[in-house]
């Protein structure tokens, strides 16, 4: 998804109100507020969606969608850094009672998020920089980035102010086991995921 910051004066309207107006005018687009800036991303390409489907399987196979947690796509995560900041990660592992932790604007308390995952598109810099700061500040324990631009998988753990204390980068051919703090032992095949998320030649 390419993303463009929406920079314009909003008059008496709040940033959140303006973000919701943009969503109404652009159905299917993802609208987020990261660091006090509205970020608008067009619908994802097919390979992006295919990659997410492949990514869900290891989590489902390990039972993370039953019992104490759920595997969900594109739900709002309320960010503590700004008065109306929120993000919509591509994929999340959340506590099963997440619906009881609604904060505002269909966004949930970051405390219920065990893992967030993004598949990059032309907005890769936002996923690799802005969201690293945002999710770290929100204390999300694990952030995974499927970096289609550089053909790598990033696993960030140990959230600290403005980022993560641990950032490991993995290449195709590697198997990556995620921290068991997400609720189960999940291993990702980097090459398989990146192949699935790469647009097919036409």
């Amino acid at each position: 998804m390419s993303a463009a910051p929406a920079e314009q004066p909003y008059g008496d309207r709040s940033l959140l109100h303006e973000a919701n107006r943009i969503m109404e005018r652009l159905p299917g687009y993802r609208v987020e507020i990261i660091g006090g800036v509205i970020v608008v991303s067009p619908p994802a390409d097919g390979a992006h969606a295919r990659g997410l489907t492949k990514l869900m399987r290891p989590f489902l196979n390990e039972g993370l969608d039953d019992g104490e947690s759920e595997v969900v796509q594109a739900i709002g995560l309320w960010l503590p850094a700004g008065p109306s900041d929120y993000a919509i990660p591509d994929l999340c592992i959340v506590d099963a009672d997440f619906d009881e932790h609604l904060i505002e604007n269909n966004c949930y308390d970051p405390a219920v998020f065990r893992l967030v995952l993004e598949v990059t598109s032309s907005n890769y810099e936002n996923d690799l920089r802005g969201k690293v700061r945002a999710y770290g500040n929100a204390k999300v324990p694990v952030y995974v980035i499927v970096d289609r631009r550089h053909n790598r998988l990033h696993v960030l753990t140990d959230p600290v102010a403005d980022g993560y204390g641990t950032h490991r980068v993995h290449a195709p051919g590697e198997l990556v086991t995620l921290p068991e703090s997400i609720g189960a032992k999940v291993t990702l095949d980097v090459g398989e995921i990146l192949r699935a998320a790469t647009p097919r030649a036409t």
Side-chain angles (χ1 to χ4, degrees):
M1 294 177 273
S2 64
E7 296 179 5
Q8 60 179 344
Y10 305 119
D12 294 333
R13 298 187 303 273
S14 72
L15 201 59
L16 193 57
H17 181 266
E18 189 62 23
N20 288 332
R21 287 189 61 211
I22 293 170
M23 267 194 294
E24 288 171 9
R25 291 198 311 263
L26 299 171
Y29 281 63
R30 183 171 298 185
V31 180
E32 302 168 294
I33 304 175
I34 309 287
V37 176
I38 296 176
V39 179
V40 182
S41 305
D45 59 40
H48 184 283
R50 186 187 310 115
L52 281 176
T53 299
K54 297 282 188 195
L55 275 160
M56 286 184 70
R57 291 176 185 161
F59 298 112
L60 298 175
N61 290 342
E62 294 300 329
L64 285 171
D65 198 46
D66 298 306
E68 296 181 0
S69 62
E70 291 191 33
V71 181
V72 293
Q73 292 188 30
I75 66 165
L77 189 165
W78 194 256
L79 297 169
S84 53
D85 282 17
Y86 69 93
I88 306 173
D90 289 324
L91 185 70
C92 307
I93 310 297
V94 293
D95 293 344
D97 67 348
F98 77 93
D99 340 48
E100 299 171 21
H101 299 273
L102 180 66
I103 293 184
E104 187 176 346
N105 203 47
N106 289 330
C107 295
Y108 298 88
D109 188 327
V112 302
F113 288 78
R114 300 178 180 197
L115 173 147
V116 293
L117 184 148
E118 301 282 5
V119 177
T120 66
S121 290
S122 56
N123 64 334
Y124 68 95
E125 289 185 354
N126 188 42
D127 292 331
L128 291 169
R129 293 194 182 99
K131 286 191 173 181
V132 169
R133 288 190 298 274
Y135 295 147
N137 283 330
K139 295 185 174 36
V140 176
V142 182
Y143 177 27
V144 177
I145 308 166
V146 179
D147 182 357
R148 301 194 298 171
R149 171 88 174 192
H150 304 104
N151 206 38
R152 296 286 185 264
L153 183 91
H154 303 253
V155 179
L156 295 86
T157 57
D158 308 314
V160 295
D162 292 327
Y164 284 84
T166 305
H167 182 168
R168 293 191 170 89
V169 182
H170 303 278
E174 292 185 61
L175 297 176
V176 178
T177 300
L178 299 176
E180 290 189 44
S181 62
I182 65 173
K185 186 175 181 179
V186 175
T187 299
L188 303 178
D189 183 322
V190 177
E192 180 183 340
I193 290 165
L194 287 165
R195 277 192 301 275
T198 299
R200 294 174 181 169
T202 55

